[in-house]
Each structure stands twice: as structure tokens, then as C-alpha cells.
Amino acid sequence: MANEWSPTQARRGTAKHPRKDDKVFTYGTAGFRARADTLDPVLYRSGLVAVLRSMSKKAAVGVMITASHNPECDNGVKLIDPMGEMLQVSWEKYVSDIVNVRDDEISDALQKIIDEEKIDTSQAAYIITGRDTRPSSCSLSQSLIDGVVAMGAEYKDYGLLTTPQLHYMVRCHNTGGRYGEPLEEGYYKKLSKAFLQLRQKVTPEFQIPIGEGGYKNEIFLDGANGVGALKVQQLLKHLDDALKITVCNDGSQGKLNENCGADYVKLHQGAPKGLIPEAGAKCISFDGDADRILYFYKDGNGKFQLLDGDKIATLIASFIKELVSEVGLSLNLGVVQTAYANGSSTRYLEDEMKVPVACVPTGVKHLHRKAEEFDVGIYFEANGHGTVLFSQDAEEKIRAASKDGSLSSEKRLAAESLSSLIDLTNQTVGDALADMLLVETILFARHWDVSDWNSAYTDLPNRQLKVKVKDRTIIHTTDAERRTTSPAGLQDAIDELVKKYTKARSFVRPSGTEDIVRVYAEADTQENTDMLAYEVSLKVFQLAQGIGDPPQPPAGK
Ligand code: G16
């Protein structure tokens, strides 16, 4: 039984973890992110709130220390709810409040949450924590634990983990092991077992037309110099040599995310430092905490080809759709995207595949919630973050069909495949390792090389830029971030610019993880896209008080 929380103890802890200035922290797209040297009090206080959340849910909650795709000098923290999902949005305000009050206001601020949420503080609390490989993560982890201990709660520190591994642990803890063993080995065992079973069931002789290219099990991984590079080596030990992975950017030399990693590859639309692909070689890139994955390769003309989250979503959706129809189940399957989804992917899903598509604001928390509305919800951000969610009803129907002796052997095999596929997906959050295993299984089943996969549809040329402004919070958006409502005149200016180009689309939004405004553009040619992105960036700079040098036109313009 944990001790009841003590306001005095929580307040006393601030002496060791004082707020140093008046910097205001906002719980953004994926928790707090900032320069690591400003975060000590934020971690301590996140520990305090995590305990209240755990008491209020009467379950273990998770706290992950990472800034994922951000540079190595940054760090961050996010809370994970009992089923492994992101913290309920209504609690984000509580964490922000606690993080931003003065040291001497801490006890009252905590009491306010306890009163508002009617929390029984005699309830035992349990916190599960993990961290990425950033040099600052160890000491920040201690700051967090100090907060947890000050509240009289118990904790388990898993040390180095990928973010999705920690989400998995939280769910395992709260489901009495039904989701899996709450151990790192348990995670590898669950995924590898499902992968090997599914692979056996979908050998190319069974179902689905065989493509021209031929599947290859060789992969070159850009590990972003992060935790994913370490963990993939552990996973490989369980895969019976089914995959051959050469790990580049494994952290033995370069800095985390510096000129490498999924965010770099997506933004630069080119190979990362440290991985020069041979033509046709299958390459993948993880981000700093391995919750995103992208595929890429160099084609026969030496052109870089990216298979991003949109391509992964369409691949997975088509595979699951085929299996569901083979079993003969009536399940409502949909894909969730954000404004960053390439227009070609949305058209392909809706027009060719006849799959409903929903668009929500950036951030896994939004995609996850929307995906839960489907029987089978496939969500992916273009940046490579995504997974598949099966409703309880869908899962029960699939499991039952896999054991239904009255079904034909083909139908039962398809149901068994879906059943293994459920076990292969990390249903708590996007997971680079689990997604890689699923994509590899589908490519294997179809006997596809990356170029076969890539030929499904052609992406519209696209460009993302960043603009630094005095205060990015003056930019407000609506319509799933596809339009701005302030500053005045910005949306009209974007509309006018977009009209100049064919098949064009552009939007801007404040980042929730970096102190910048993001600009997205797509159009018929790369030249037009780059020009549109530049022109929109300039408008943002002019109308939203840009700082530093104004955006420069694309080279040669
Ligand atoms: C996080 C979120 C993603 C989001 C990304 C960028 O990713 O989990 O959902 O797309 O930040 O967000 P923003 O555009 O608001 O900066 P990660 O991989 O950094 O955790």
C-alpha cells in the first residue's frame, strides 16, 4: 500500500527542482518538449501529476522521457494512460497548470486537481517509466522519480526503451498480462511469434497475386543514432533469420537525429547521412525513439523514392481489406490521415480502394481517437507514425472465425492470418519495429519488392518548410488544420497563391513540438511546389512577425 500523498513533501521537493525562470511550458502535440537544461522542474512536476492520474484511474500510468525527432540538445516528457494510449486531452491542462505555477503554489495547485477530479489520495499509485538515449535522459529520469516518490507512489523504471515499448508495458501492466508480458523480452516474444506465424500463413502460394519484383529480406536501417538501433538488434535475435538488417547510424558515432532519422529523410526527401543506398536496396529509417518508420530506395535512374506513412497505410489497408473479405466478415474499415497526407494517397484510398478516409489534426492522440470509431482503423501520419486498431467486436469476430470448423480452409486460414496480424500490431501507438514486421510480411506475401509497392500510385510533389516567428501561438487553424483563422489576411493570401498553380494545396500550422511554424505545399511539379512553399513561407514571415532571415526562394529562382 502506498503512502497517502503529502502536500508538504511535494512542496519540499521543489527546493531540489526549482523553477528557474518564468518560461511557460505547453503540453503540445506529444507532451512537453524544450531544451533539456530547462526541463528539470518540468520532469519533477510531471511526476507529481502522473501520480494523481494513476490514483484517479486506479491503474498504472506511464511516463516516457524523450523528445523523439527533436535535436539531441532537446528533451521532453509525455504521460501515457492505462491502456497505453496518450494522456486524455482534458488532463493536459492539469499537467500544464502544475508545471507552470510558482514553487510555493504547488500544494494548492495539486489540491485543486484532487478536488476537481474527486481523487481518493489513499488510492495506491504506480508509475511506469522509460527513456530514450539522449545524454540528458538519465538525470531527467531521476527528477521524474523524485516527483513520484514525493507523492508516496511506487514506480518501475525500465531504463532504455523505445516509446512504443513503454506504451506496450503500460497496457500489459493494466490488463493482467492478457496483452503480453510486461517485460522487454515479452515484447520481442509477442511480436516475433505473431510475425513468424503470420509469415507462415501468408506464404506466396496462398492468396494474392505474385508481383514482378520478388521479395527480398535484406534491409538497410537508418537508426537515427537512437534507441531503435539498439532495440532492433534484440528483436532480430527472435526472428529466426527471416530478416537480414544492416544497422547504420547505430549511435556508435553521430548525434541523435543529426542529418539522419525519419524526420530528416521525410523533410529532405533524400537519404540520411551514413546510409548510401545501392540502386534497388530496401532502406528504412526510424526516428529518435522508434515510433516512426519510413521506407526508401534509389530507383534504376538514381532517383530517391520515399514510401512514407501514406504508402504504408495504403499497403496495410489493402492487405487487411483482402483478408477480411476472404473470411467474409462485415467489418467497417477506415483510414485516418492528417492534412499532410499526400493528395494522391487520399484519392487512391477513396477512389480506387473504396476505403473511407478521415482527416484529423496532427498528433497521434487525434488519429488514435478517430481510428477507434472504425471496426478496423488504420491510422498513419505521412511522417511514418501509425498503427492499426481493431475494435473489441472485430477482434472477437476474427478470433472466432479462426477457430470456426464450419468455414472452408481458405476462409479459416485468412481468419488465422488476421488473428496473428492483430498480435503483430502494437495497438497502443505507432511502433517502428512492429510496423516494419507487418510491412515485411505483406511484401513477402505479395512477393513484392519496394518498387512493386511504390507503383500503386504516384505521390504529388510536396515540400515542407519551417518558418521562425516571434510567437507561433498567434497562428490559429481550423478544418483539421487545413485553414488558418488568424493572423488576419493569411488564409486569403494562401488561397490566392494556391490558385496560381495546378493540383495545388498548401496550409500552415504552428508546430506542437518545435518553436516554429510548419508550411506544407503540394502541386503538379516539384518546381511549382517549391515555389508555392516559398511564397507561402514568405507570407507567414510577413504576417506572423517572422524573426531572423526571411525565407529564400528555391535555388535558381
Ligand atoms: C510527434 C507526434 C506526431 C507529430 C510530430 C510533429 O512525433 O507524436 O504525431 O506528427 O510530433 O508534430 P508537430 O508538427 O506538431 O511538431 P514525434 O515522433 O516527434 O514524437
Side-chain angles (χ1 to χ4, degrees), residues 175-192:
T175 51
R178 280 192 310 284
Y179 188 68
E181 270 182 291
L183 295 170
E184 204 181 321
E185 272 302 294
Y187 168 91
Y188 300 126
K189 278 188 200 153
K190 180 179 177 188
L191 287 190
S192 57

Side-chain angles (χ1 to χ4, degrees), residues 160-189:
L160 276 183
L161 281 187
T162 70
T163 294
Q165 283 179 328
L166 186 69
H167 284 254
Y168 161 91
M169 299 302 177
V170 175
R171 188 153 175 162
C172 291
H173 267 277
N174 289 317
T175 51
R178 280 192 310 284
Y179 188 68
E181 270 182 291
L183 295 170
E184 204 181 321
E185 272 302 294
Y187 168 91
Y188 300 126
K189 278 188 200 153

Side-chain angles (χ1 to χ4, degrees), residues 96-135:
S96 294
D97 287 350
I98 294 298
V99 160
N100 290 312
V101 293
R102 289 198 321 262
D103 289 345
D104 61 359
E105 294 169 335
I106 276 277
S107 305
D108 289 347
L110 289 168
Q111 189 60 53
K112 197 163 162 258
I113 301 173
I114 292 166
D115 294 343
E116 275 177 29
E117 292 291 322
K118 299 187 178 48
I119 296 170
D120 170 7
T121 54
S122 66
Q123 172 68 41
Y126 195 63
I127 305 303
I128 295 167
T129 179
R131 60 182 155 82
D132 71 11
T133 55
R134 282 161 211 271

Side-chain angles (χ1 to χ4, degrees), residues 443-455:
L443 296 180
F444 170 77
R446 298 192 160 174
H447 215 267
W448 275 4
D449 193 3
V450 267
S451 58
D452 302 309
W453 171 20
N454 201 22
S455 66

Side-chain angles (χ1 to χ4, degrees), residues 29-30 33 67-70 86 287 289 291-292 340 362-364 381 383 385 509-514 518:
T29 314
R33 295 220 181 147
S68 190
H69 77 271
N70 290 50
M86 297 287 199
D287 70 339
D289 61 342
D291 59 7
R292 300 192 205 173
Y340 292 105
T362 299
V364 171
E381 294 185 299
N383 63 23
H385 195 144
R509 55 173 286 277
S511 162
T513 60
E514 298 174 60
R518 296 197 194 279

Side-chain angles (χ1 to χ4, degrees), residues 222-256:
D222 159 26
N225 291 318
V227 63
L230 306 175
K231 302 302 181 186
V232 79
Q233 327 242 23
Q234 301 303 316
L235 175 68
L236 273 177
K237 292 180 191 160
H238 297 76
L239 297 183
D240 293 353
D241 294 327
L243 299 179
K244 291 198 181 82
I245 302 183
T246 306
V247 185
C248 311
N249 299 325
D250 63 357
S252 55
Q253 287 173 16
K255 277 192 176 175
L256 181 72

Side-chain angles (χ1 to χ4, degrees), residues 211-523:
E212 299 291 327
Y215 176 76
K216 295 184 196 80
N217 71 346
E218 227 184 338
I219 301 172
F220 296 86
L221 164 69
D222 159 26
N225 291 318
V227 63
L230 306 175
K231 302 302 181 186
V232 79
Q233 327 242 23
Q234 301 303 316
L235 175 68
L236 273 177
K237 292 180 191 160
H238 297 76
L239 297 183
D240 293 353
D241 294 327
L243 299 179
K244 291 198 181 82
I245 302 183
T246 306
V247 185
C248 311
N249 299 325
D250 63 357
S252 55
Q253 287 173 16
K255 277 192 176 175
L256 181 72
N257 295 329
E258 192 170 86
N259 300 320
C260 62
D263 201 61
Y264 175 91
V265 171
K266 176 73 180 155
L267 255 57
H268 291 80
Q269 301 184 25
K273 195 179 160 199
L275 200 176
I276 302 163
E278 297 278 318
K282 182 164 55 183
C283 305
I284 60 177
S285 187
F286 292 171
D287 70 339
D289 61 342
D291 59 7
R292 300 192 205 173
I293 179 170
L294 298 171
Y295 275 73
F296 61 92
Y297 68 101
K298 196 163 82 176
D299 69 17
N301 301 318
K303 194 165 175 252
F304 176 83
Q305 299 285 351
L306 182 66
L307 294 129
D308 64 3
D310 303 336
K311 288 259 163 148
I312 297 175
T314 53
L315 181 79
I316 295 175
S318 68
F319 187 70
I320 296 180
K321 196 167 178 249
E322 281 167 14
L323 288 173
V324 167
S325 107
E326 171 81 39
V327 185
L329 289 172
S330 162
L331 295 176
N332 156 28
L333 177 146
V335 171
V336 186
Q337 301 186 318
T338 70
Y340 292 105
N342 197 280
S344 294
S345 73
T346 315
R347 267 188 294 280
Y348 179 75
L349 283 161
E350 289 181 332
D351 300 345
E352 308 265 324
M353 288 179 53
K354 310 288 179 217
V355 167
V357 178
C359 182
V360 298
T362 299
V364 171
K365 55 192 172 195
H366 302 297
L367 289 110
H368 194 96
R369 209 172 318 123
K370 190 73 193 171
E372 283 174 336
E373 293 176 15
F374 296 96
D375 293 328
V376 184
I378 297 139
Y379 73 79
F380 265 90
E381 294 185 299
N383 63 23
H385 195 144
T387 188
V388 187
L389 303 184
F390 291 85
S391 70
Q392 202 182 329
D393 183 48
E395 183 171 340
E396 279 166 14
K397 281 182 179 157
I398 290 166
R399 305 270 195 219
S402 72
K403 294 185 190 107
D404 184 349
S406 70
L407 293 180
S408 69
S409 57
E410 286 81 11
K411 280 182 192 290
R412 232 187 20 255
L413 191 54
E416 284 170 13
S417 302
L418 279 171
S419 187
S420 299
L421 194 150
I422 292 173
D423 295 333
L424 183 54
T425 49
N426 186 335
Q427 291 200 55
T428 63
V429 81
D431 183 333
L433 293 174
D435 290 342
M436 172 188 77
L437 295 180
L438 180 52
V439 169
E440 288 304 314
T441 305
I442 301 172
L443 296 180
F444 170 77
R446 298 192 160 174
H447 215 267
W448 275 4
D449 193 3
V450 267
S451 58
D452 302 309
W453 171 20
N454 201 22
S455 66
Y457 65 86
T458 307
D459 273 327
L460 278 170
N462 58 92
R463 178 68 64 205
Q464 265 192 64
L465 296 175
K466 301 180 185 184
V467 184
K468 255 197 140 1
V469 298
K470 200 169 148 215
D471 175 11
R472 71 192 198 279
T473 63
I474 66 162
I475 299 202
H476 291 173
T477 63
T478 183
D479 187 19
E481 303 182 319
R482 288 174 286 199
R483 299 186 67 76
T484 54
T485 50
S486 80
L490 180 56
Q491 189 56 51
D492 290 342
I494 296 173
D495 289 343
E496 281 309 307
L497 291 169
V498 165
K499 270 189 211 155
K500 289 169 42 184
Y501 301 95
T502 307
K503 292 189 183 168
R505 191 167 70 87
S506 180
F507 66 89
V508 308
R509 55 173 286 277
S511 162
T513 60
E514 298 174 60
D515 192 9
I516 45 118
V517 176
R518 296 197 194 279
V519 172
Y520 177 86
E522 64 184 34

